[in-house]
């Protein structure tokens, strides 16, 4: 009976291990494109949003103190990836007669490159100046409220005065109390605001009365009517830009 056994040369086993590692690395990095979309899209989007908010706040301060605002818009973002790999193995299975051992060699290389290109465009010119200096349309303010934006955020940010009640940035002013009352009515669904766009003059309809109105909501309604000088029983108001007039059926915004 013949005993046949296979004995693997330790050198060959080491060679196989190197080849396995090189092939596994190249296979795992064969495609990098799809995996980068969700990561880079979110990261670049978040970075652009954060930088735009910081730039906006900085320019608001510049305008507040009489300095010229400067805006740079990110007009284009291009990101290029490249991955290159190379592996080679050399060996002499017959051995080197002078040394009595097998000769082998293995080498590999992987090169990775990430080349982002970001283009900035300064916002200048007549259109930019006009958009910066043109007052916000009052109908746009109430359209935001109609769309669900909190009144406590919109009014302090974009309204200087409403029916003569000025926004003087103090917590005890009539404007602040007015905004808080509007916010409470909005949160409790005791106030409906509808923008009427089919009229020759912009109008809004404010419906304070709902099927169930608490005593707190009724107190806020009375306070709003008194502060703004609105006639009782009137729920449709003409929107105008400017200061308060004698009309009790109009809302004047600056």
């Amino acid at each position: 009976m013949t005993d046949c056994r296979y004995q693997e040369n330790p050198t060959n086993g080491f060679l196989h291990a190197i080849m396995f590692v090189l092939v596994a690395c190249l296979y795992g990095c064969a495609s990098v494109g799809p995996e980068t979309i969700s990561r880079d899209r979110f990261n670049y989007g978040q970075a652009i949003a954060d930088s735009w908010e910081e730039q906006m706040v900085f320019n608001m301060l510049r305008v507040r103190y009489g300095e010229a605002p400067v805006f740079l818009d990110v007009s284009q973002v291009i990101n290029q990836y490249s991955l290159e790999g190379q592996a080679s193995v050399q060996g002499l299975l017959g051995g080197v007669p002078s040394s009595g051992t097998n000769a082998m060699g293995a080498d590999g290389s992987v090169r990775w490159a990430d080349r982002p290109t970001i283009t900035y465009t300064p916002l200048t010119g007549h259109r930019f100046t006009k958009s910066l200096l043109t007052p916000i349309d009052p109908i746009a303010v109430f359209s935001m409220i109609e769309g669900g934006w909190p009144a406590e955020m919109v009014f302090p940010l974009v309204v200087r005065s409403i029916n003569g009640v000025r926004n003087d940035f103090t917590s005890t002013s009539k404007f602040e109390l007015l905004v808080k009352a509007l916010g409470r009515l909005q949160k409790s669904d005791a106030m409906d605001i509808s923008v009427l766009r089919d009229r020759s003059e912009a109008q809004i309809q404010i419906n304070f009365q709902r099927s169930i109105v608490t005593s707190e909501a009724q107190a806020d309604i009375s306070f709003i009517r008194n502060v703004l000088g609105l006639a009782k029983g009137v729920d449709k108001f003409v929107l105008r830009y400017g200061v308060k007039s004698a009309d009790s059926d109009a809302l004047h915004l600056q």
Side-chain angles (χ1 to χ4, degrees):
M1 181 175 181
T2 303
D3 185 9
C4 297
R5 297 181 179 179
Y6 172 75
Q7 294 182 350
E8 184 178 8
N9 192 314
T11 302
N12 292 338
F14 180 70
L15 187 63
H16 293 162
I18 293 177
M19 286 294 299
F20 176 79
V21 172
L22 289 175
V23 172
C25 290
L26 292 177
Y27 177 79
C29 299
S31 177
V32 297
E35 288 78 7
T36 62
I37 293 178
S38 59
R39 181 195 66 204
D40 290 353
R41 192 171 189 176
F42 175 81
N43 291 343
Y44 277 110
Q46 188 64 39
I48 292 174
D50 292 342
S51 64
W52 180 259
E53 291 177 358
E54 294 175 3
Q55 181 179 233
M56 180 63 70
V57 173
F58 179 73
N59 280 299
M60 289 173 65
L61 291 175
R62 293 179 65 91
V63 172
R64 173 66 177 82
Y65 291 100
E67 299 181 10
V70 178
F71 287 91
L72 280 179
D73 190 20
V74 180
S75 59
Q76 192 176 42
V77 177
I78 300 176
N79 207 358
Q80 296 179 344
Y81 298 100
S82 64
L83 177 65
E84 301 176 2
Q86 182 180 1
S88 63
V89 177
Q90 299 175 351
L92 182 61
L93 299 179
V96 181
S98 60
S99 61
T101 60
N102 293 332
M104 66 169 187
D107 59 47
S109 63
V110 177
R111 185 170 62 181
W112 163 263
D114 181 5
R115 302 182 180 91
T117 302
I118 302 175
T119 304
Y120 299 96
T121 303
L123 299 181
T124 57
H126 173 71
R127 293 182 59 186
F128 171 70
T129 304
K130 182 179 179 180
S131 64
L132 186 66
L133 299 179
T134 302
I136 298 176
D137 191 346
I139 197 172
V141 178
F142 283 95
S143 294
M144 294 180 67
I145 304 298
E146 181 187 25
W149 286 75
E152 292 175 285
M153 181 183 70
V154 175
F155 276 87
L157 183 63
V158 301
V159 177
R160 179 192 296 181
S161 70
I162 176 171
N163 274 19
V165 181
R166 294 185 58 83
N167 180 6
D168 54 5
F169 305 100
T170 61
S171 59
T172 58
S173 65
K174 287 185 178 180
F175 185 89
E176 182 68 17
L177 298 176
L178 174 67
V179 169
K180 289 182 178 180
L182 288 172
R184 287 191 295 266
L185 292 177
Q186 189 180 25
K187 293 176 183 178
S188 63
D189 290 333
M191 176 183 66
D192 284 333
I193 293 181
S194 301
V195 178
L196 307 179
R197 300 177 175 87
D198 56 348
R199 304 300 181 95
S200 58
E201 191 172 21
Q203 287 186 330
I204 64 168
Q205 179 170 338
I206 303 179
N207 184 11
F208 290 117
Q209 301 296 334
R210 300 296 296 266
S211 58
I212 300 177
V213 177
T214 62
S215 57
E216 292 81 4
Q218 190 61 50
D220 286 334
I221 293 172
S222 299
F223 175 77
I224 293 172
R225 287 189 181 276
N226 291 332
V227 170
L228 298 181
L230 303 178
K232 294 183 178 180
V234 178
D235 57 6
K236 290 183 181 179
F237 306 94
V238 178
L239 278 178
R240 294 173 182 160
Y241 178 81
V243 296
K244 180 178 173 57
S245 66
D247 300 331
S248 60
D249 61 346
L251 286 175
H252 294 79
L253 273 71
Q254 282 188 319

